[in-house]
Structure formats: structure tokens, C-alpha cells
């Protein structure tokens, strides 16, 4: 798992968001950190069995949701004013099963930015750095 640097800025969260909402009783309560040096957004996550499909394997929809959030939020890395973006298209590649109960790292970054549209990417990584989903 990626170690969170004390130099990284923590992004804001909302109250009821499924991914970051502090008051959402069924949410993941993730924290997002900006690595300004790399331009990436990083979040540690360990998924419990409540988010599995097959025994011990995270559900692909949950992984897509996490990658949607971490890659979309990457658009705010290094920006003074937080902007809200919406996803127009989501393309996933599942490389190998993502285990539950294992510390993972979700990373997002911007690949192309225009005035009103952007392209972003993201990965879910195992502790050894191998990618399970992108």
C-alpha cells in the first residue's frame, strides 16, 4: 500500500457521499490525498466482505465506483477552487481479482484536460504495487 505523505493535502469530503461521506451509514468513508508532485490523487482502502461478489473477492461495481471517484477527484489536484465534474463515460479493465480484507491503494490522475471536458485514469493497486483494476 502507498504510504500517505504528511506533505500531501487532504481533499474535502461531503456528508452523504457513498464514497467519502462521513455521515453515510453504508458508505466507504474514504479519505483522498493530493500528491501535488506527481499530480495524482491517492486513497487507501480496505474493503470488507460486505463489498464482495465471490467469497474474498471485491465486487466489480464497487471497484468501478471507487475508480470513478478517485479519477474524477484528480481533476482538483493542485487547483485552488474545487470544481465538481460528472462522468460521461466509464471504461473498466479488471486485470485480476481484488481481494477483500487487504490494504489497497486507489490512484487517479488526469490524462487530458480541456475547458469543459477531461479524460482521467485510475488504478486499484495491491500492496506489492500490482494493478487489479483500471
Amino acid at each position: 500500500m502507498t504510504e500517505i505523505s504528511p506533505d500531501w493535502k487532504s481533499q474535502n469530503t461531503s456528508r452523504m457521499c457513498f464514497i467519502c461521506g462521513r455521515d453515510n451509514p453504508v458508505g466507504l468513508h474514504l479519505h483522498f490525498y493530493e500528491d501535488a508532485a506527481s499530480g495524482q490523487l491517492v486513497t487507501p482502502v480496505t474493503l470488507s466482505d460486505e463489498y464482495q461478489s465471490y467469497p474474498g473477492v471485491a465486487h466489480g461495481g464497487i471497484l468501478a465506483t471507487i475508480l470513478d471517484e478517485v479519477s474524477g477527484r484528480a481533476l482538483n489536484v493542485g487547483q485552488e477552487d474545487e470544481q465538481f465534474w460528472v462522468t460521461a463515460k466509464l471504461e473498466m479493465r479488471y486485470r485480476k481479482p481484488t481481494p477483500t480484507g487487504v490494504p489497497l491503494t486507489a490512484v487517479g490522475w488526469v490524462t487530458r484536460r480541456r475547458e469543459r471536458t477531461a479524460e482521467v485514469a485510475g488504478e486499484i493497486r495491491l500492496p506489492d504495487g500490482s494493478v487489479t483494476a483500471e
Side-chain angles (χ1 to χ4, degrees):
M1 184 168 94
T2 301
E3 198 166 317
I4 303 303
S5 168
D7 297 331
W8 293 358
K9 176 185 166 194
S10 180
Q11 279 195 349
N12 293 328
T13 61
S14 71
R15 197 175 72 73
M16 290 302 291
C17 172
F18 174 70
I19 297 293
C20 70
R22 298 291 145 243
D23 297 333
N24 188 328
V26 298
L28 296 175
H29 307 131
L30 298 185
H31 295 271
F32 295 92
Y33 301 93
E34 295 184 8
D35 178 4
S38 70
Q40 295 182 332
L41 189 73
V42 179
T43 184
V45 58
T46 301
L47 294 169
S48 65
D49 285 340
E50 295 153 336
Y51 301 107
Q52 72 181 348
S53 56
Y54 299 109
V57 177
H59 192 283
I62 293 296
L63 300 175
T65 302
I66 292 168
L67 286 176
D68 181 43
E69 188 79 9
V70 74
S71 59
R73 281 174 164 264
L75 288 158
N76 286 321
V77 171
Q79 303 296 310
E80 284 191 35
D81 295 324
E82 183 179 77
Q83 292 184 2
F84 294 101
W85 295 75
V86 295
T87 302
K89 178 181 177 183
L90 179 66
E91 211 173 293
M92 290 289 302
R93 175 173 287 144
Y94 299 97
R95 296 202 168 272
K96 62 171 103 175
T98 302
T100 56
V102 172
L104 306 167
T105 304
V107 181
W109 61 91
V110 178
T111 59
R112 186 174 187 183
R113 181 192 298 263
R114 298 184 203 113
E115 184 179 330
R116 297 181 62 197
T117 63
E119 293 175 17
V120 295
E123 297 175 340
I124 305 271
R125 299 175 183 164
L126 292 169
D128 68 3
S130 62
V131 175
T132 67
E134 61 183 352

